[in-house]
Amino acid sequence: MASLKTAVSYSRRLLTAITHQVTRTLMLFTSGGASTCPDCRSSNLQTSSSAAAGAEKGEDSFLKWFLLLIPATTFGLGTWQVKRRQWKLQLINELHKLTAAAPIPLPLDPHELKTLEYRRVRVRGRYDHSKELYILPRSPVDPEREAREAGRLSSSGERGANVVTPFHCTDLGITILVNRGYVPRQKISPETRMKGQVEGEVDVVGVVRLTEIRKPFVPNNDVERNRWHYRDLEAMSNLTGAEPIFIDADFASTIPGGPIGGQTRVTLRNEHMQYIITWYGLCAATSYMWFAKFIKRI
């Protein structure tokens, strides 16, 4: 019994000593590792400073290379716009070649016609002025002015309509649709331009055009009021009884007193040079800022 009491007493003293040691260790830990030893405190401060400096250096290195993505990205976008501009200029050149090539007879194969947009063709026949259609509002085609005004929200110049007239091809035995050209607003009514309402057979050279899909913000065609805003060959042919074949008469087909031909727009929107200047300018500015902050400072 005495030995049991001695063992219990010894266990209590040992437990008390362990408790005091754990408490002291926790106090040292919560005080930031402070030590009564001056050399120990100095060593701890040096270690903390080194760790902080290393962390800061790592953050600067990450930020340095991350920000370099900005000039690299803008340089890539500028280079892409250079290639886009070359592609657009080549496309415009090809369209001009098609509209200036020697005319060919109008083929009757619908599949062949789909591959001939902007190709010049020649037909002979007579107009049916009683079924004129009006695509409006339109302004007369001026390639040089359109190139200057490309990208603007509004453009200058008068407004009128393009006159589309059924044309019976006597050599082919079919009726097609011919965009005779532009008339100002006050000349839309046929009674105001009777001299241009030619009778009899004529030769017409024109550019093949395909049907259009209505673009956003373009109004729907008003068939009942004969106000067309885009080429819908199916609806136009159903209304006039013509085949869904459409050509823009060239300028040489213009008849005095009638609509002005040559209203095919082949000037595509080309703003790539502005984008090139913008992206390369941003690349130069951000590259200098990156150099000043991370290289010049060192």
Side-chain angles (χ1 to χ4, degrees), residues 73-112:
T73 301
T74 52
F75 179 82
L77 290 173
T79 304
W80 177 64
Q81 286 298 327
V82 170
K83 296 181 179 180
R84 288 280 296 174
R85 182 174 182 271
Q86 293 173 349
W87 168 79
K88 183 64 68 64
L89 291 176
Q90 182 179 359
L91 180 59
I92 293 173
N93 186 46
E94 291 176 356
L95 292 180
H96 279 293
K97 287 182 178 179
L98 286 175
T99 57
I104 63 174
L106 177 68
L108 296 180
D109 186 355
H111 298 288
E112 185 177 357

Side-chain angles (χ1 to χ4, degrees), residues 16-190:
T16 302
I18 293 174
T19 302
H20 284 302
Q21 185 63 32
V22 171
T23 302
R24 182 180 178 185
T25 302
L26 290 175
M27 290 178 65
L28 290 174
F29 180 79
T30 54
S31 63
S35 174
T36 56
C37 175
D39 294 337
C40 294
R41 286 198 300 268
S42 177
S43 177
N44 290 337
L45 289 175
Q46 291 177 0
T47 303
S48 300
S49 300
S50 300
E56 183 178 357
K57 184 177 180 180
E59 292 177 359
D60 285 346
S61 179
F62 172 78
L63 184 64
K64 172 182 177 181
W65 298 114
F66 178 78
L67 292 179
L68 189 60
L69 289 175
I70 298 176
T73 301
T74 52
F75 179 82
L77 290 173
T79 304
W80 177 64
Q81 286 298 327
V82 170
K83 296 181 179 180
R84 288 280 296 174
R85 182 174 182 271
Q86 293 173 349
W87 168 79
K88 183 64 68 64
L89 291 176
Q90 182 179 359
L91 180 59
I92 293 173
N93 186 46
E94 291 176 356
L95 292 180
H96 279 293
K97 287 182 178 179
L98 286 175
T99 57
I104 63 174
L106 177 68
L108 296 180
D109 186 355
H111 298 288
E112 185 177 357
L113 277 172
K114 290 182 179 179
T115 64
L116 294 179
E117 187 168 23
Y118 293 106
R119 189 70 168 85
R120 297 179 75 209
V121 295
R122 183 187 299 275
V123 292
R124 180 172 180 81
R126 59 172 57 90
Y127 288 108
D128 183 0
H129 300 292
S130 65
K131 297 180 180 180
E132 283 185 350
L133 306 177
Y134 309 109
I135 302 179
L136 71 171
R138 290 293 185 271
S139 58
V141 169
D142 183 350
E144 293 183 358
R145 188 191 68 194
E146 291 181 2
R148 292 192 304 268
E149 296 179 349
R152 295 185 184 177
L153 295 178
S154 61
S155 59
S156 59
E158 58 180 330
R159 293 288 181 174
N162 286 348
V163 179
V164 179
T165 308
F167 185 85
H168 181 70
C169 303
T170 54
D171 55 343
L172 299 176
I174 62 172
T175 300
I176 65 173
L177 296 170
V178 176
N179 174 15
R180 296 185 63 198
Y182 169 83
V183 293
R185 184 178 302 174
Q186 64 273 18
K187 293 289 186 178
I188 293 179
S189 176

Side-chain angles (χ1 to χ4, degrees), residues 17 32 54 90 100 103 124 149 204 284 290 294-295:
Q90 182 179 359
R124 180 172 180 81
E149 296 179 349
V204 176
W290 185 86
F294 296 106
I295 305 299

Side-chain angles (χ1 to χ4, degrees), residues 213-270:
I213 298 176
R214 187 177 71 88
K215 298 178 181 178
F217 308 111
V218 173
N220 290 314
N221 291 326
D222 190 342
V223 179
E224 295 182 357
R225 298 177 59 194
N226 195 10
R227 297 175 66 90
W228 302 80
H229 302 285
Y230 62 96
R231 290 188 310 275
D232 185 344
L233 297 192
E234 183 178 358
M236 289 178 169
S237 61
N238 290 336
L239 183 64
T240 60
E243 298 293 328
I245 301 174
F246 190 105
I247 66 173
D248 288 336
D250 65 3
F251 182 77
S253 301
T254 302
I255 299 172
I260 302 173
Q263 299 302 307
T264 304
R265 282 179 165 83
V266 295
T267 302
L268 302 179
R269 185 174 179 176
N270 185 9

